[in-house]
Amino acid sequence: MAFQCQRDCYMREFTTSVVSCRTAELKIDNSGKKEKVKGFNIILKDTILFPEGGGQPDDQGVLNDIPVLRVTRQGADAVHFVTSPLEEGVEVQMKVDWERRFNHMQQHSGQHLITAIADSMFGFKTTSWELGRQRSVIELDTPSVEPGQVEALEKAVNKKIREQVPVSVKVVAVDDPTVEKVRSRGLPEDHTGPIRIIDIEGIDANMCCGTHVSNLSHLQAIKILGTEKGKKNKTNLIFVAGSRVLKYAERSYSVERALTSLLKTGPEDHVEAVDKLQKSVKVLQKNNLNLLRDLAVLIAENFKSNPNRGKLFCLHRKDGDNEFMNIIANEIGTEGTLIFLTVGDEKEAGLFLLAGPIEMVDTLGPRVAELLEGKGAGKRGRYQGKANKMGRRPEVEVLLQENIQHRSSEEE
């Protein structure tokens, strides 16, 4: 069965009726976290919302102004997930999110065109593809693609776009001899009904369920952004088509302007300017590290030279690291001194180190981590880790001081 969205990819509104409505749950991504949403799976008599398939994401839209959150294919049916029920038999007005739909049409038809030209020019076969949110990827069955080949491929596909080549949809029976002559990566196991063939006149005929433009001119342009090494000796070709080319150019120009303002150089000098900055930063980081090491030694020597020093040494420093803390601990020595060190911003997470007599550190280390609401581990008289509540350092210091006093009274 072909849905209305496949018979007429340019239809934006459609009236149909509800065949069934069943309670369901859907897992959605909410700020990186998976959440379950309770709702209803709606099957309609027909639909203009494309269900996910063939490397193409599903459409979005509304049923009687109720947002459709997901559209999937189950056999011959398209299942629409919504959060409000609809009565069986009721008539519904559908609207597709046209900007998203046309975007997908441009990317999908662009993939067909690139795949066909890459095969005819260089013999590169497409093994898979992915329509991403900002850019799409075609996996080519070749270990590498030369820069000159990428340039030639891009020129060839854009030439076909300018020639306004028609794109048509043919629907044939599974046993039609035409099926054997078209490009295909096979049918889904649960496929039923006739076969749909996307024909780019004189260029390519490909078995496909997706939504496509009716003329290559509707692609506007294709930009091949580059290639990268793929899996199993294959190459990933990254591209954008249609409106995404304009958005990519807009984003690139915004970044270019921002870099020009920050670097005080023209676009042609950005790479050189950033390279100089990175080298300068590395030198500064090295110098800063050497200064921190020297400072750690001075801090330790200052403590050791104090005739009135106690058995507890505590220090917090914003600009430090694990090496800074360990140098101090090494220089002071941990046989007769309990050392509590922290580094990082007081209002954010940081690092801590507890060093001293093995028995004391083994006992107090986990308690220190708990007070700082962090995690740590240790051995041989050192316990260190991450602290999430640096503001609770005074509580740790009280705990350590009380423990030292208790042990001193026991020894007396």
Side-chain angles (χ1 to χ4, degrees), residues 196-217:
R196 191 164 171 268
I197 298 171
I198 307 302
D199 189 286
I200 304 177
E201 190 175 286
I203 298 174
D204 182 53
N206 182 22
M207 198 183 299
C208 182
C209 65
T211 55
H212 290 271
V213 298
S214 60
N215 192 291
L216 290 187
S217 63

Side-chain angles (χ1 to χ4, degrees), residues 239-253:
F239 78 96
V240 288
S243 59
R244 292 192 181 189
V245 176
L246 300 177
K247 290 180 180 178
Y248 183 82
E250 182 181 355
R251 286 195 303 269
S252 298
Y253 182 60

Side-chain angles (χ1 to χ4, degrees), residues 75-104:
D77 296 319
V79 181
H80 309 71
F81 182 88
V82 295
T83 55
S84 299
L86 291 168
E87 291 184 17
E88 294 182 6
V90 71
E91 191 174 87
V92 293
Q93 182 71 19
M94 305 185 71
K95 292 181 181 179
V96 66
D97 179 340
W98 177 246
E99 184 177 356
R100 176 183 170 93
R101 154 68 71 74
F102 191 58
N103 183 329
H104 289 176

Side-chain angles (χ1 to χ4, degrees), residues 14-38:
F14 182 62
T15 301
T16 185
S17 58
V18 176
V19 173
S20 68
C21 176
R22 301 286 185 271
T23 56
E25 284 188 347
L26 175 68
K27 286 184 178 180
I28 63 171
D29 191 340
N30 186 5
S31 300
K33 295 182 179 179
K34 293 290 184 180
E35 288 186 0
K36 282 186 178 181
V37 176
K38 292 184 177 181

Side-chain angles (χ1 to χ4, degrees), residues 12 83 235 246 294 320:
R12 306 188 190 192
T83 55
T235 298
L246 300 177
D294 293 341

Side-chain angles (χ1 to χ4, degrees), residues 170-341:
K170 298 178 181 178
V171 179
V172 299
V174 177
D175 57 356
D176 191 299
T178 308
V179 175
E180 301 298 324
K181 301 176 184 179
V182 303
R183 186 166 51 83
S184 171
R185 295 199 301 273
L187 291 168
E189 292 181 2
D190 60 348
H191 175 82
T192 59
I195 302 297
R196 191 164 171 268
I197 298 171
I198 307 302
D199 189 286
I200 304 177
E201 190 175 286
I203 298 174
D204 182 53
N206 182 22
M207 198 183 299
C208 182
C209 65
T211 55
H212 290 271
V213 298
S214 60
N215 192 291
L216 290 187
S217 63
H218 296 182
L219 297 183
Q220 298 173 286
I222 287 176
K223 176 60 187 174
I224 299 176
L225 302 178
T227 61
E228 56 187 29
K229 187 176 178 59
K231 298 177 181 178
K232 298 180 180 179
N233 216 28
K234 296 178 182 178
T235 298
N236 293 331
L237 183 145
I238 304 148
F239 78 96
V240 288
S243 59
R244 292 192 181 189
V245 176
L246 300 177
K247 290 180 180 178
Y248 183 82
E250 182 181 355
R251 286 195 303 269
S252 298
Y253 182 60
S254 294
V255 171
E256 182 182 286
R257 288 185 63 188
L259 287 173
T260 298
S261 176
L262 290 168
L263 300 172
K264 310 301 181 187
T265 63
E268 66 280 1
D269 298 321
H270 284 172
V271 173
E272 183 181 353
V274 171
D275 183 58
K276 287 181 179 179
L277 280 174
Q278 287 181 324
K279 289 177 180 177
S280 297
V281 167
K282 286 181 180 179
V283 171
L284 290 172
Q285 286 176 333
K286 185 176 180 180
N287 292 340
N288 186 55
L289 185 59
N290 290 333
L291 288 172
L292 276 174
R293 288 170 177 167
D294 293 341
L295 179 61
V297 173
L298 288 172
I299 289 171
E301 289 179 351
N302 184 57
F303 174 77
K304 289 191 296 182
S305 65
N306 183 1
N308 300 317
R309 67 178 182 271
K311 295 183 178 181
L312 174 65
F313 177 75
C314 299
L315 176 73
H316 171 75
R317 189 172 181 86
K318 184 177 180 179
D319 54 339
D321 56 15
N322 277 319
E323 184 180 10
F324 173 76
M325 294 189 293
N326 277 293
I327 290 174
I328 292 176
N330 290 337
E331 291 294 324
I332 291 178
T334 58
E335 291 183 5
T337 306
L338 187 60
I339 302 167
F340 173 56
L341 306 171

